[in-house]
Amino acid sequence: MTTANAGAETTAVEQALTAFLVERTGVEPEPEQDLFATGAISSMFAMELVVFLEDTYDVEIVGPELSRDNFRSVRAMSAMVLRLRGAGEA
């Protein structure tokens, strides 16, 4: 994947996550905003995010990937999705 493609994919994932968060919470977060610290999401809502990400991006979020740090911001979730999708490429 080229740098330009990676950047475009990152932007697309971040936009989809932001749209989902706006739809579900009514708040539009900044990409690096700590969603737990601001109260925009809770641990329970993070599980909804797991389902959304798994269904939308055909990834499996299990074990250490369920770390709160991976869900702390839109940017962190995007990075996790791209990392998991890349892990499946040979």
Side-chain angles (χ1 to χ4, degrees), residues 30-42:
E30 294 295 320
E32 293 286 342
Q33 184 177 5
D34 187 327
L35 300 170
F36 290 102
T38 62
I41 64 171
S42 65

Side-chain angles (χ1 to χ4, degrees), residues 21-82:
L21 288 166
V22 168
E23 177 186 314
R24 300 291 291 138
T25 68
V27 176
E28 184 170 348
E30 294 295 320
E32 293 286 342
Q33 184 177 5
D34 187 327
L35 300 170
F36 290 102
T38 62
I41 64 171
S42 65
S43 295
M44 291 299 290
F45 183 67
M47 295 314 297
E48 266 189 73
L49 286 167
V50 169
V51 172
F52 169 75
L53 294 170
E54 287 182 334
D55 290 349
T56 303
Y57 297 103
D58 194 29
V59 294
E60 187 175 1
I61 303 171
V62 295
E65 297 300 340
L66 289 170
S67 164
R68 186 175 177 147
D69 287 338
N70 285 332
F71 295 89
R72 192 164 302 283
S73 69
V74 169
R75 182 119 332 128
M77 287 184 274
S78 176
M80 176 185 61
V81 165
L82 296 177

